Protein backbone atom coordinates (compact mmCIF):
# COMPACT_ATOMS: atom_id res chain seq x y z
CA UNK A 1 0.00 0.00 0.00
CA UNK A 2 1.49 3.33 -1.01
CA UNK A 3 1.96 6.12 1.41
CA UNK A 4 -0.64 7.97 -0.58
CA UNK A 5 -3.40 5.58 0.28
CA UNK A 6 -2.49 5.59 3.95
CA UNK A 7 -2.09 9.27 4.43
CA UNK A 8 -4.93 11.58 5.30
CA UNK A 9 -5.15 14.30 2.74
CA UNK A 10 -6.09 17.66 4.01
CA UNK A 11 -9.81 17.34 4.27
CA UNK A 12 -11.24 20.70 3.58
CA UNK A 13 -14.49 21.99 4.89
CA UNK A 14 -16.01 18.58 5.40
CA UNK A 15 -19.65 18.49 6.39
CA UNK A 16 -18.61 16.90 9.63
CA UNK A 17 -16.80 20.10 10.56
CA UNK A 18 -16.46 20.51 14.28
CA UNK A 19 -17.48 23.64 16.12
CA UNK A 20 -15.51 26.82 15.69
CA UNK A 21 -12.05 26.58 17.10
CA UNK A 22 -12.39 22.93 18.05
CA UNK A 23 -9.11 21.15 18.42
CA UNK A 24 -9.15 17.72 16.84
CA UNK A 25 -5.83 16.10 17.52
CA UNK A 26 -3.44 17.07 20.31
CA UNK A 27 -2.61 20.73 20.20
CA UNK A 28 1.13 20.61 20.59
CA UNK A 29 1.81 23.55 22.80
CA UNK A 30 5.57 23.75 22.44
CA UNK A 31 5.72 24.34 18.70
CA UNK A 32 2.54 26.25 18.75
CA UNK A 33 3.28 28.58 21.60
CA UNK A 34 4.71 31.54 19.72
CA UNK A 35 2.35 31.06 16.87
CA UNK A 36 -0.73 30.64 18.97
CA UNK A 37 0.07 34.02 20.44
CA UNK A 38 -0.58 35.52 17.05
CA UNK A 39 -3.93 33.80 16.73
CA UNK A 40 -6.73 35.09 18.83
CA UNK A 41 -8.95 32.69 20.72
CA UNK A 42 -12.17 31.35 19.22
CA UNK A 43 -10.57 30.47 15.95
CA UNK A 44 -9.04 33.88 15.48
CA UNK A 45 -12.42 35.55 15.40
CA UNK A 46 -13.10 36.98 18.82
CA UNK A 47 -13.38 40.70 19.27
CA UNK A 48 -10.99 41.05 22.16
CA UNK A 49 -8.59 43.99 21.92
CA UNK A 50 -5.96 43.40 19.29
CA UNK A 51 -2.47 42.45 20.25
CA UNK A 52 -0.45 45.48 21.07
CA UNK A 53 3.00 44.05 20.41
CA UNK A 54 2.53 43.06 16.77
CA UNK A 55 0.43 46.08 16.10
CA UNK A 56 3.30 48.25 17.22
CA UNK A 57 6.02 46.37 15.40
CA UNK A 58 4.04 46.15 12.17
CA UNK A 59 2.92 49.75 12.23
CA UNK A 60 4.61 51.79 9.56
CA UNK A 61 5.23 48.91 7.15
CA UNK A 62 4.92 50.33 3.65
CA UNK A 63 4.36 48.23 0.53
CA UNK A 64 5.94 48.96 -2.86
CA UNK A 65 4.34 51.80 -4.83
CA UNK A 66 1.53 50.52 -7.07
CA UNK A 67 1.03 47.44 -4.91
CA UNK A 68 -2.18 45.79 -6.10
CA UNK A 69 -4.42 45.66 -3.05
CA UNK A 70 -7.41 43.58 -4.00
CA UNK A 71 -10.23 41.26 -3.07
CA UNK A 72 -11.46 38.05 -4.67
CA UNK A 73 -14.71 36.24 -5.41
CA UNK A 74 -15.88 33.45 -7.69
CA UNK A 75 -18.88 33.17 -9.97
CA UNK A 76 -20.90 30.36 -8.42
CA UNK A 77 -20.29 31.67 -4.91
CA UNK A 78 -21.78 35.12 -5.49
CA UNK A 79 -23.66 35.50 -8.77
CA UNK A 80 -26.96 33.68 -8.31
CA UNK A 81 -29.19 34.07 -11.41
CA UNK A 82 -28.58 30.40 -12.02
CA UNK A 83 -31.13 30.08 -14.78
CA UNK A 84 -30.93 33.49 -16.37
CA UNK A 85 -29.78 34.75 -19.73
CA UNK A 86 -28.99 31.35 -21.14
CA UNK A 87 -26.78 30.01 -18.37
CA UNK A 88 -26.46 26.23 -18.46
CA UNK A 89 -26.10 23.92 -15.49
CA UNK A 90 -22.81 23.27 -13.82
CA UNK A 91 -21.63 20.42 -11.62
CA UNK A 92 -22.17 22.69 -8.64
CA UNK A 93 -25.86 23.17 -9.51
CA UNK A 94 -26.24 19.41 -9.62
CA UNK A 95 -24.23 18.84 -6.48
CA UNK A 96 -25.86 21.52 -4.34
CA UNK A 97 -29.32 20.36 -5.38
CA UNK A 98 -28.55 16.79 -4.33
CA UNK A 99 -29.99 16.24 -0.83
CA UNK A 100 -27.37 15.98 1.89
CA UNK A 101 -24.50 17.44 -0.09
CA UNK A 102 -24.42 20.96 1.36
CA UNK A 103 -25.06 22.34 4.80
CA UNK A 104 -28.75 23.19 5.19
CA UNK A 105 -29.26 22.22 1.56
CA UNK A 106 -27.91 25.61 0.50
CA UNK A 107 -27.37 26.26 -3.21
CA UNK A 108 -25.90 29.04 -5.33
CA UNK A 109 -29.24 29.72 -7.04
CA UNK A 110 -29.38 33.22 -5.58
CA UNK A 111 -26.20 33.49 -3.47
CA UNK A 112 -25.28 37.17 -3.06
CA UNK A 113 -27.33 38.05 -6.15
CA UNK A 114 -24.26 39.70 -7.62
CA UNK A 115 -25.47 39.09 -11.19
CA UNK A 116 -28.17 41.69 -10.56
CA UNK A 117 -26.32 43.81 -8.01
CA UNK A 118 -22.92 44.01 -9.66
CA UNK A 119 -23.13 47.80 -10.05
CA UNK A 120 -23.71 48.23 -6.32
CA UNK A 121 -20.85 45.83 -5.65
CA UNK A 122 -18.58 47.79 -7.95
CA UNK A 123 -19.37 50.88 -5.91
CA UNK A 124 -18.45 49.00 -2.73
CA UNK A 125 -15.12 48.13 -4.31
CA UNK A 126 -14.51 51.75 -5.14
CA UNK A 127 -15.41 52.73 -1.58
CA UNK A 128 -12.89 50.18 -0.31
CA UNK A 129 -10.29 51.69 -2.59
CA UNK A 130 -9.50 48.37 -4.31
CA UNK A 131 -6.86 48.51 -6.99
CA UNK A 132 -7.50 45.00 -8.26
CA UNK A 133 -10.54 42.72 -8.31
CA UNK A 134 -10.26 39.03 -8.93
CA UNK A 135 -13.45 37.34 -10.10
CA UNK A 136 -14.24 34.24 -12.13
CA UNK A 137 -16.14 33.71 -15.33
CA UNK A 138 -18.84 31.04 -15.25
CA UNK A 139 -18.16 28.68 -18.13
CA UNK A 140 -21.86 27.63 -18.30
CA UNK A 141 -22.84 31.27 -18.87
CA UNK A 142 -20.57 31.39 -21.91
CA UNK A 143 -21.27 27.90 -23.27
CA UNK A 144 -24.32 26.33 -21.63
CA UNK A 145 -23.21 22.82 -22.58
CA UNK A 146 -19.49 23.45 -22.45
CA UNK A 147 -18.84 23.77 -26.17
CA UNK A 148 -19.99 25.42 -29.34
CA UNK A 149 -21.36 28.87 -30.06
CA UNK A 150 -20.92 31.32 -27.21
CA UNK A 151 -23.87 32.85 -25.42
CA UNK A 152 -23.63 36.58 -26.06
CA UNK A 153 -25.72 37.49 -23.00
CA UNK A 154 -23.22 35.73 -20.77
CA UNK A 155 -20.30 37.52 -22.37
CA UNK A 156 -22.17 40.83 -22.08
CA UNK A 157 -22.47 40.43 -18.32
CA UNK A 158 -18.72 40.12 -17.90
CA UNK A 159 -18.16 42.96 -20.35
CA UNK A 160 -20.36 45.20 -18.19
CA UNK A 161 -18.47 44.09 -15.08
CA UNK A 162 -15.06 44.70 -16.63
CA UNK A 163 -16.11 48.09 -18.01
CA UNK A 164 -17.46 49.02 -14.57
CA UNK A 165 -14.13 48.12 -12.99
CA UNK A 166 -12.20 50.29 -15.44
CA UNK A 167 -14.61 53.17 -14.87
CA UNK A 168 -13.72 52.97 -11.19
CA UNK A 169 -9.98 52.61 -11.72
CA UNK A 170 -9.86 48.98 -10.58
CA UNK A 171 -7.81 46.43 -12.53
CA UNK A 172 -9.76 43.28 -13.50
CA UNK A 173 -8.18 39.87 -12.88
CA UNK A 174 -10.28 37.09 -14.38
CA UNK A 175 -10.18 33.40 -13.48
CA UNK A 176 -11.38 31.19 -16.31
CA UNK A 177 -12.42 28.23 -14.20
CA UNK A 178 -13.43 28.26 -10.56
CA UNK A 179 -14.95 24.75 -10.40
CA UNK A 180 -18.28 25.31 -12.19
CA UNK A 181 -17.80 22.77 -14.97
CA UNK A 182 -20.77 22.59 -17.36
CA UNK A 183 -22.79 19.54 -16.35
CA UNK A 184 -22.96 18.38 -19.97
CA UNK A 185 -19.19 17.94 -19.95
CA UNK A 186 -19.38 16.08 -16.66
CA UNK A 187 -21.88 13.75 -18.27
CA UNK A 188 -19.17 12.97 -20.83
CA UNK A 189 -16.64 12.12 -18.11
CA UNK A 190 -15.71 15.59 -16.88
CA UNK A 191 -12.02 16.05 -16.14
CA UNK A 192 -11.48 12.30 -16.35
CA UNK A 193 -11.99 12.79 -20.07
CA UNK A 194 -8.98 14.30 -21.84
CA UNK A 195 -11.33 16.05 -24.22
CA UNK A 196 -12.47 18.37 -21.39
CA UNK A 197 -9.02 19.97 -21.44
CA UNK A 198 -9.49 20.72 -25.15
CA UNK A 199 -12.99 22.08 -24.55
CA UNK A 200 -11.58 24.30 -21.81
CA UNK A 201 -9.04 25.77 -24.23
CA UNK A 202 -11.80 26.47 -26.77
CA UNK A 203 -13.87 28.21 -24.12
CA UNK A 204 -10.83 30.20 -23.01
CA UNK A 205 -10.25 31.28 -26.58
CA UNK A 206 -13.83 32.56 -26.84
CA UNK A 207 -13.40 34.57 -23.65
CA UNK A 208 -9.99 35.97 -24.64
CA UNK A 209 -11.37 37.22 -27.93
CA UNK A 210 -14.47 38.74 -26.32
CA UNK A 211 -12.87 40.44 -23.30
CA UNK A 212 -9.14 40.27 -23.88
CA UNK A 213 -8.66 43.91 -24.75
CA UNK A 214 -9.90 44.88 -21.30
CA UNK A 215 -8.50 42.18 -18.99
CA UNK A 216 -4.80 42.60 -18.17
CA UNK A 217 -4.42 39.41 -16.11
CA UNK A 218 -5.92 35.96 -16.61
CA UNK A 219 -5.81 33.00 -14.26
CA UNK A 220 -6.44 29.60 -15.77
CA UNK A 221 -7.73 27.04 -13.27
CA UNK A 222 -8.47 27.80 -9.65
CA UNK A 223 -6.88 25.32 -7.25
CA UNK A 224 -6.70 22.16 -9.36
CA UNK A 225 -5.70 20.35 -6.17
CA UNK A 226 -9.04 21.09 -4.53
CA UNK A 227 -10.91 19.52 -7.44
CA UNK A 228 -8.61 16.49 -7.17
CA UNK A 229 -8.86 16.05 -3.41
CA UNK A 230 -12.30 17.37 -2.47
CA UNK A 231 -14.07 16.49 -5.71
CA UNK A 232 -12.53 13.09 -6.39
CA UNK A 233 -10.94 11.70 -3.21
CA UNK A 234 -13.14 12.86 -0.36
CA UNK A 235 -16.15 13.61 -2.48
CA UNK A 236 -17.47 16.52 -0.46
CA UNK A 237 -17.18 18.88 -3.43
CA UNK A 238 -18.69 18.45 -6.88
CA UNK A 239 -18.75 16.07 -8.62
CA UNK A 240 -18.70 14.15 -5.34
CA UNK A 241 -16.65 11.12 -6.32
CA UNK A 242 -14.46 9.00 -4.06
CA UNK A 243 -12.05 7.48 -6.53
CA UNK A 244 -8.38 8.08 -5.90
CA UNK A 245 -7.24 6.56 -9.18
CA UNK A 246 -9.53 8.89 -11.11
CA UNK A 247 -8.42 11.82 -8.95
CA UNK A 248 -4.87 11.92 -10.29
CA UNK A 249 -6.03 11.37 -13.83
CA UNK A 250 -8.15 14.46 -13.25
CA UNK A 251 -5.05 16.26 -11.95
CA UNK A 252 -3.25 15.60 -15.21
CA UNK A 253 -6.15 16.79 -17.35
CA UNK A 254 -6.57 19.94 -15.27
CA UNK A 255 -2.88 20.68 -15.73
CA UNK A 256 -3.22 19.98 -19.43
CA UNK A 257 -6.20 22.33 -19.62
CA UNK A 258 -4.11 24.99 -17.94
CA UNK A 259 -1.31 24.62 -20.49
CA UNK A 260 -3.68 24.59 -23.45
CA UNK A 261 -5.35 27.77 -22.19
CA UNK A 262 -1.97 29.50 -21.90
CA UNK A 263 -1.26 28.50 -25.50
CA UNK A 264 -4.70 29.72 -26.56
CA UNK A 265 -4.00 33.16 -25.13
CA UNK A 266 -0.72 33.42 -27.02
CA UNK A 267 -2.36 32.20 -30.23
CA UNK A 268 -5.22 34.69 -29.92
CA UNK A 269 -2.87 37.64 -30.16
CA UNK A 270 -4.55 39.17 -27.12
CA UNK A 271 -2.04 40.99 -24.96
CA UNK A 272 -2.97 39.94 -21.39
CA UNK A 273 -0.75 38.10 -18.95
CA UNK A 274 -1.65 34.64 -17.71
CA UNK A 275 -0.79 32.15 -14.99
CA UNK A 276 -2.10 29.36 -12.77
CA UNK A 277 -3.88 29.88 -9.41
CA UNK A 278 -2.52 27.30 -6.97
CA UNK A 279 -3.38 26.76 -3.34
CA UNK A 280 -0.05 25.96 -1.77
CA UNK A 281 0.32 24.41 1.65
CA UNK A 282 3.63 24.60 3.45
CA UNK A 283 4.20 21.09 4.85
CA UNK A 284 6.15 20.66 8.09
CA UNK A 285 7.16 17.47 9.93
CA UNK A 286 4.96 16.98 12.98
CA UNK A 287 7.98 15.88 15.04
CA UNK A 288 11.76 15.54 14.82
CA UNK A 289 11.92 11.97 13.53
CA UNK A 290 13.51 10.98 10.24
CA UNK A 291 10.24 9.23 9.33
CA UNK A 292 8.29 12.46 9.68
CA UNK A 293 10.84 14.28 7.50
CA UNK A 294 10.55 11.64 4.78
CA UNK A 295 6.77 11.55 4.90
CA UNK A 296 6.61 15.34 4.79
CA UNK A 297 8.70 15.42 1.63
CA UNK A 298 6.27 13.12 -0.20
CA UNK A 299 3.30 14.96 1.21
CA UNK A 300 4.73 18.16 -0.19
CA UNK A 301 4.96 16.39 -3.54
CA UNK A 302 1.23 15.74 -3.59
CA UNK A 303 0.26 19.12 -2.17
CA UNK A 304 2.60 21.43 -4.03
CA UNK A 305 5.20 20.00 -6.41
CA UNK A 306 2.71 17.98 -8.48
CA UNK A 307 1.33 21.31 -9.71
CA UNK A 308 4.37 23.58 -9.47
CA UNK A 309 6.96 21.24 -11.02
CA UNK A 310 4.78 20.34 -13.97
CA UNK A 311 4.18 24.00 -14.80
CA UNK A 312 7.58 25.47 -13.97
CA UNK A 313 9.91 22.53 -14.58
CA UNK A 314 8.05 20.56 -17.23
CA UNK A 315 8.09 17.33 -15.21
CA UNK A 316 5.95 15.70 -12.57
CA UNK A 317 7.90 15.03 -9.37
CA UNK A 318 9.58 11.63 -9.47
CA UNK A 319 8.69 10.71 -5.91
CA UNK A 320 4.98 11.29 -6.56
CA UNK A 321 5.09 9.34 -9.81
CA UNK A 322 6.86 6.47 -8.06
CA UNK A 323 4.30 6.54 -5.26
CA UNK A 324 1.41 6.49 -7.72
CA UNK A 325 3.05 3.62 -9.58
CA UNK A 326 3.56 3.03 -13.29
CA UNK A 327 0.15 1.44 -13.68
CA UNK A 328 -1.80 4.31 -12.21
CA UNK A 329 -4.43 5.86 -14.44
CA UNK A 330 -2.60 9.15 -14.32
CA UNK A 331 0.82 7.86 -15.28
CA UNK A 332 -0.66 5.87 -18.14
CA UNK A 333 -2.54 8.92 -19.39
CA UNK A 334 0.48 11.19 -19.81
CA UNK A 335 1.32 11.42 -23.52
CA UNK A 336 4.47 12.62 -25.20
CA UNK A 337 4.38 16.38 -25.41
CA UNK A 338 1.87 16.86 -22.56
CA UNK A 339 4.45 18.22 -20.15
CA UNK A 340 5.64 20.62 -22.81
CA UNK A 341 2.10 21.99 -23.09
CA UNK A 342 1.66 22.13 -19.31
CA UNK A 343 4.94 24.03 -18.91
CA UNK A 344 4.14 26.63 -21.58
CA UNK A 345 5.76 29.77 -20.18
CA UNK A 346 3.49 31.75 -17.87
CA UNK A 347 3.69 35.41 -16.90
CA UNK A 348 2.86 35.07 -13.23
CA UNK A 349 2.01 32.67 -10.44
CA UNK A 350 -1.09 33.21 -8.33
CA UNK A 351 -0.67 31.85 -4.81
CA UNK A 352 -3.55 31.07 -2.46
CA UNK A 353 -2.49 30.48 1.12
CA UNK A 354 -4.74 29.43 3.98
CA UNK A 355 -3.07 26.87 6.21
CA UNK A 356 0.04 24.84 6.98
CA UNK A 357 0.03 21.03 7.16
CA UNK A 358 1.88 19.00 9.81
CA UNK A 359 2.81 15.49 8.71
CA UNK A 360 3.61 12.51 10.95
CA UNK A 361 6.05 9.70 10.25
CA UNK A 362 3.06 7.54 9.31
CA UNK A 363 2.09 10.01 6.63
CA UNK A 364 -1.03 11.36 8.29
CA UNK A 365 -1.66 14.93 9.33
CA UNK A 366 -2.12 16.41 12.76
CA UNK A 367 -3.37 19.71 13.93
CA UNK A 368 -0.93 21.72 15.97
CA UNK A 369 -2.42 25.17 15.96
CA UNK A 370 -5.76 26.77 16.65
CA UNK A 371 -8.12 26.54 13.73
CA UNK A 372 -10.62 29.00 12.42
CA UNK A 373 -14.29 28.18 11.98
CA UNK A 374 -13.08 26.09 9.04
CA UNK A 375 -11.69 23.03 10.76
CA UNK A 376 -9.08 22.49 8.04
CA UNK A 377 -7.55 25.93 8.55
CA UNK A 378 -4.82 26.33 11.18
CA UNK A 379 -3.73 29.88 11.78
CA UNK A 380 -0.09 30.37 10.86
CA UNK A 381 0.85 33.69 9.25
CA UNK A 382 4.49 32.64 8.96
CA UNK A 383 3.31 30.03 6.44
CA UNK A 384 2.63 32.90 4.05
CA UNK A 385 6.29 33.91 4.29
CA UNK A 386 7.44 30.31 3.87
CA UNK A 387 5.27 29.69 0.82
CA UNK A 388 6.22 32.90 -0.96
CA UNK A 389 9.95 32.59 -0.34
CA UNK A 390 9.88 28.91 -1.25
CA UNK A 391 8.31 29.39 -4.66
CA UNK A 392 10.76 32.15 -5.48
CA UNK A 393 13.70 30.04 -4.31
CA UNK A 394 12.62 26.85 -6.07
CA UNK A 395 10.96 28.18 -9.22
CA UNK A 396 12.71 31.45 -9.99
CA UNK A 397 11.64 35.07 -9.89
CA UNK A 398 8.26 34.74 -11.59
CA UNK A 399 5.99 37.63 -10.54
CA UNK A 400 3.59 36.54 -7.83
CA UNK A 401 0.12 37.63 -6.89
CA UNK A 402 -1.65 36.39 -3.79
CA UNK A 403 -5.13 35.65 -5.07
CA UNK A 404 -6.68 34.32 -1.87
CA UNK A 405 -6.11 34.61 1.86
CA UNK A 406 -8.65 35.09 4.58
CA UNK A 407 -10.72 33.30 7.21
CA UNK A 408 -14.35 32.71 8.18
CA UNK A 409 -15.69 34.42 11.28
CA UNK A 410 -19.07 34.05 12.96
CA UNK A 411 -19.98 37.61 12.02
CA UNK A 412 -23.22 38.89 13.43
CA UNK A 413 -24.34 42.49 13.38
CA UNK A 414 -24.33 44.10 16.83
CA UNK A 415 -27.30 46.04 18.21
CA UNK A 416 -26.14 49.12 16.32
CA UNK A 417 -25.83 47.15 13.08
CA UNK A 418 -22.03 47.18 12.96
CA UNK A 419 -20.00 44.01 12.56
CA UNK A 420 -16.93 43.81 14.72
CA UNK A 421 -14.68 41.18 13.15
CA UNK A 422 -11.55 42.15 15.07
CA UNK A 423 -10.20 38.63 14.60
CA UNK A 424 -10.19 39.10 10.84
CA UNK A 425 -8.29 42.37 11.26
CA UNK A 426 -5.58 40.64 13.33
CA UNK A 427 -5.42 37.71 10.92
CA UNK A 428 -5.02 39.89 7.87
CA UNK A 429 -2.55 42.21 9.56
CA UNK A 430 -0.32 39.27 10.50
CA UNK A 431 -0.50 37.79 7.00
CA UNK A 432 0.15 41.17 5.34
CA UNK A 433 3.19 41.60 7.59
CA UNK A 434 4.47 38.15 6.60
CA UNK A 435 4.00 39.03 2.92
CA UNK A 436 5.86 42.27 3.52
CA UNK A 437 8.80 40.36 4.98
CA UNK A 438 8.79 38.14 1.90
CA UNK A 439 8.94 41.18 -0.38
CA UNK A 440 11.79 42.59 1.71
CA UNK A 441 13.60 39.27 1.26
CA UNK A 442 13.33 39.44 -2.52
CA UNK A 443 9.96 37.88 -3.44
CA UNK A 444 8.45 39.68 -6.47
CA UNK A 445 4.99 39.91 -4.91
CA UNK A 446 2.90 42.38 -6.90
CA UNK A 447 -0.58 42.18 -5.44
CA UNK A 448 -2.69 40.64 -2.69
CA UNK A 449 -6.35 39.70 -2.85
CA UNK A 450 -8.28 39.07 0.33
CA UNK A 451 -10.75 36.22 0.22
CA UNK A 452 -13.40 37.45 0.04
CA UNK A 453 -14.99 40.71 -0.98
CA UNK A 454 -18.44 39.50 0.08
CA UNK A 455 -19.87 36.80 2.29
CA UNK A 456 -20.83 34.04 -0.11
CA UNK A 457 -21.77 30.42 -0.79
CA UNK A 458 -18.88 28.51 0.74
CA UNK A 459 -19.37 25.31 -1.26
CA UNK A 460 -20.43 22.35 0.92
CA UNK A 461 -20.55 24.68 3.93
CA UNK A 462 -23.27 26.76 2.29
CA UNK A 463 -23.86 30.19 3.74
CA UNK A 464 -22.92 29.31 7.28
CA UNK A 465 -19.27 30.35 7.01
CA UNK A 466 -18.81 34.06 6.40
CA UNK A 467 -15.55 34.90 4.66
CA UNK A 468 -16.31 38.43 3.45
CA UNK A 469 -14.95 41.85 4.23
CA UNK A 470 -18.48 42.92 3.46
CA UNK A 471 -21.40 41.34 5.30
CA UNK A 472 -24.32 40.12 3.22
CA UNK A 473 -27.78 39.85 4.75
CA UNK A 474 -29.08 37.07 2.52
CA UNK A 475 -32.71 37.91 3.19
CA UNK A 476 -32.56 41.52 2.09
CA UNK A 477 -29.27 41.26 0.15
CA UNK A 478 -28.15 44.34 2.03
CA UNK A 479 -24.37 44.77 2.18
CA UNK A 480 -22.61 46.16 5.27
CA UNK A 481 -18.91 46.95 5.64
CA UNK A 482 -17.49 44.90 8.49
CA UNK A 483 -14.86 46.44 10.73
CA UNK A 484 -12.23 44.64 8.61
CA UNK A 485 -13.46 46.43 5.49
CA UNK A 486 -13.01 49.82 7.15
CA UNK A 487 -9.58 48.75 8.35
CA UNK A 488 -8.60 47.40 4.91
CA UNK A 489 -9.64 50.67 3.28
CA UNK A 490 -7.17 52.47 5.55
CA UNK A 491 -4.43 49.93 4.77
CA UNK A 492 -4.94 50.53 1.07
CA UNK A 493 -5.02 54.27 1.56
CA UNK A 494 -1.74 54.19 3.53
CA UNK A 495 -0.31 51.48 1.28
CA UNK A 496 0.70 49.64 4.40
CA UNK A 497 0.08 48.85 8.03
C1 LIG B 1 -10.53 28.42 -1.62
C2 LIG B 1 -11.49 28.56 -2.78
C3 LIG B 1 -12.50 29.65 -2.59
C4 LIG B 1 -13.04 29.66 -1.18
C5 LIG B 1 -11.91 29.69 -0.18
C6 LIG B 1 -12.36 29.75 1.25
O1 LIG B 1 -9.99 27.15 -1.61
O2 LIG B 1 -10.78 28.79 -3.96
O3 LIG B 1 -13.51 29.51 -3.53
O4 LIG B 1 -13.85 28.58 -0.98
O5 LIG B 1 -11.10 28.56 -0.36
Amino acid sequence: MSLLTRRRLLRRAALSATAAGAVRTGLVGATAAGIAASATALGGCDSSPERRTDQESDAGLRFPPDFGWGAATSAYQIEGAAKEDGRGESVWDTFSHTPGRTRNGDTGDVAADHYHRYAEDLDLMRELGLRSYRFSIAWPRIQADGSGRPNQRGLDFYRRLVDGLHERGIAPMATLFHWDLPQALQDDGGWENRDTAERFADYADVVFRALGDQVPVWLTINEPKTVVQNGYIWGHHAPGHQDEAAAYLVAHHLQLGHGLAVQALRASGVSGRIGPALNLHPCYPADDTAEAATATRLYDGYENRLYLDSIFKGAYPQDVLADLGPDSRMVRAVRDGDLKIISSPVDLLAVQYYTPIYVTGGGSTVQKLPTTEAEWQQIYPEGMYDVLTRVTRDYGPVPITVTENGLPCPDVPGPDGTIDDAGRVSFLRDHFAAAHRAIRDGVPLKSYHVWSLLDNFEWDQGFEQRWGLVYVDYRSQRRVFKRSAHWYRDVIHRNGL
Side-chain angles (χ1 to χ4, degrees):
M1 184 166 62
S2 72
L3 182 59
L4 163 67
T5 46
R6 276 186 281 121
R7 76 212 178 90
R8 282 192 57 210
L9 287 156
L10 178 69
R11 183 177 183 176
R12 222 199 77 133
L15 263 179
S16 61
T18 45
V23 172
R24 276 178 304 166
T25 34
L27 181 70
V28 181
T31 334
I35 300 149
S38 75
T40 52
L42 262 180
C45 287
D46 72 345
S47 24
S48 58
E50 291 138 38
R51 290 161 301 106
R52 296 254 49 101
T53 46
D54 274 21
Q55 235 178 325
E56 280 153 18
S57 60
D58 294 340
L61 289 184
R62 287 293 169 271
F63 280 71
D66 301 327
F67 191 72
W69 296 105
T73 61
S74 90
Y76 190 70
Q77 293 179 275
I78 62 166
E79 284 179 1
K83 292 194 192 308
E84 276 174 61
D85 291 345
R87 178 184 179 277
E89 285 200 350
S90 82
V91 293
W92 269 98
D93 295 287
T94 310
F95 190 80
S96 65
H97 280 273
T98 306
R101 289 302 207 173
T102 64
R103 207 176 268 272
N104 305 320
D106 289 343
T107 74
D109 286 2
V110 177
D113 197 31
H114 171 78
Y115 191 77
H116 299 118
R117 294 168 195 266
Y118 73 93
E120 181 190 339
D121 292 338
L122 286 166
D123 287 343
L124 290 175
M125 294 181 219
R126 176 169 48 197
E127 215 178 312
L128 259 176
L130 292 192
R131 298 182 185 156
S132 177
Y133 174 55
R134 181 218 176 195
F135 60 98
S136 83
I137 294 171
W139 187 347
R141 281 198 198 283
I142 309 304
Q143 293 172 317
D145 294 333
S147 60
R149 251 189 72 227
N151 169 25
Q152 192 57 44
R153 286 176 297 170
L155 288 170
D156 289 347
F157 169 68
Y158 295 106
R159 166 59 74 173
R160 291 195 296 275
L161 181 69
V162 164
D163 288 347
L165 287 166
H166 285 296
E167 281 158 22
R168 292 164 181 80
I170 303 166
M173 183 181 282
T175 308
L176 291 162
F177 179 70
H178 202 122
W179 307 347
D180 40 5
L181 186 74
Q183 181 61 41
L185 293 185
Q186 187 65 39
D187 296 342
D188 285 341
W191 289 105
E192 284 181 70
N193 183 348
R194 188 181 169 96
D195 194 50
T196 297
E198 303 280 353
R199 296 287 71 74
F200 176 64
D202 291 348
Y203 147 73
D205 179 66
V206 165
V207 175
F208 296 147
R209 288 174 199 277
L211 304 173
D213 56 335
Q214 291 299 319
V215 177
V217 177
W218 298 96
L219 303 174
T220 53
I221 291 182
N222 181 70
E223 299 190 353
K225 182 175 65 188
T226 309
V227 178
V228 171
Q229 296 184 356
N230 296 9
Y232 280 87
I233 295 179
W234 289 105
H236 62 279
H237 274 195
H241 295 190
Q242 292 183 328
D243 180 348
E244 206 163 290
Y248 290 96
L249 177 66
V250 162
H252 178 58
H253 291 153
L254 285 162
Q255 293 298 86
L256 191 62
H258 156 83
L260 289 169
V262 172
Q263 294 191 341
L265 178 71
R266 308 300 183 211
S268 71
V270 167
S271 64
R273 294 182 299 130
I274 191 162
L278 303 179
N279 53 329
L280 302 176
H281 292 108
C283 299
Y284 308 104
D287 55 52
D288 291 340
T289 59
E291 290 76 20
T294 306
T296 302
R297 174 81 188 147
L298 180 57
Y299 213 100
D300 174 71
Y302 278 103
E303 291 290 332
N304 303 314
R305 286 181 285 115
L306 185 62
Y307 307 93
L308 286 165
D309 283 14
S310 49
I311 292 173
F312 291 100
K313 296 185 171 172
Y316 284 119
Q318 279 306 326
D319 55 346
V320 174
L321 292 181
D323 193 62
L324 287 167
D327 294 329
S328 68
R329 284 184 77 189
M330 174 192 166
V331 172
R332 282 187 288 123
V334 178
R335 296 187 191 161
D336 283 353
D338 281 2
L339 268 307
K340 195 151 189 280
I341 296 170
I342 294 171
S343 60
S344 303
V346 294
D347 305 300
L348 70 146
L349 167 64
V351 172
Q352 320 203 146
Y353 169 69
Y354 286 99
T355 187
I357 298 180
Y358 295 93
V359 185
T360 68
S364 56
T365 60
V366 288
Q367 182 196 319
K368 286 196 166 221
L369 305 173
T371 64
T372 67
E373 245 195 338
E375 62 148 13
W376 51 271
Q377 184 181 29
Q378 300 178 60
I379 302 174
Y380 187 49
E382 201 56 27
M384 174 68 87
Y385 176 87
D386 288 353
V387 152
L388 294 175
T389 50
R390 184 259 177 107
V391 289
T392 298
R393 189 171 56 241
D394 291 355
Y395 300 96
V398 58
I400 297 175
T401 168
V402 168
T403 38
E404 290 187 25
N405 174 243
L407 84 169
C409 291
D411 303 318
V412 262
D416 60 353
T418 62
I419 295 129
D420 187 3
D421 57 342
R424 183 171 281 113
V425 171
S426 314
F427 178 99
L428 290 175
R429 182 196 301 113
D430 292 345
H431 285 75
F432 290 170
H436 189 274
R437 283 199 299 285
I439 295 173
R440 186 198 61 196
D441 291 348
V443 171
L445 178 66
K446 306 296 181 197
S447 56
Y448 196 124
H449 301 77
V450 172
W451 184 270
S452 178
L453 175 70
L454 302 170
D455 289 341
N456 59 53
F457 174 80
E458 174 53 20
W459 310 112
D460 58 321
Q461 296 298 303
F463 296 104
E464 208 148 287
Q465 287 180 4
R466 292 184 172 271
W467 289 79
L469 293 162
V470 177
Y471 180 86
V472 176
D473 175 340
Y474 294 111
R475 271 170 313 186
S476 63
Q477 292 294 350
R478 210 164 64 89
R479 275 82 162 129
V480 182
F481 268 31
K482 299 178 192 175
R483 173 170 166 185
S484 58
H486 293 288
W487 173 82
Y488 191 37
R489 184 180 49 198
D490 292 346
V491 169
I492 297 173
H493 187 71
R494 277 196 302 268
N495 196 33
L497 298 175

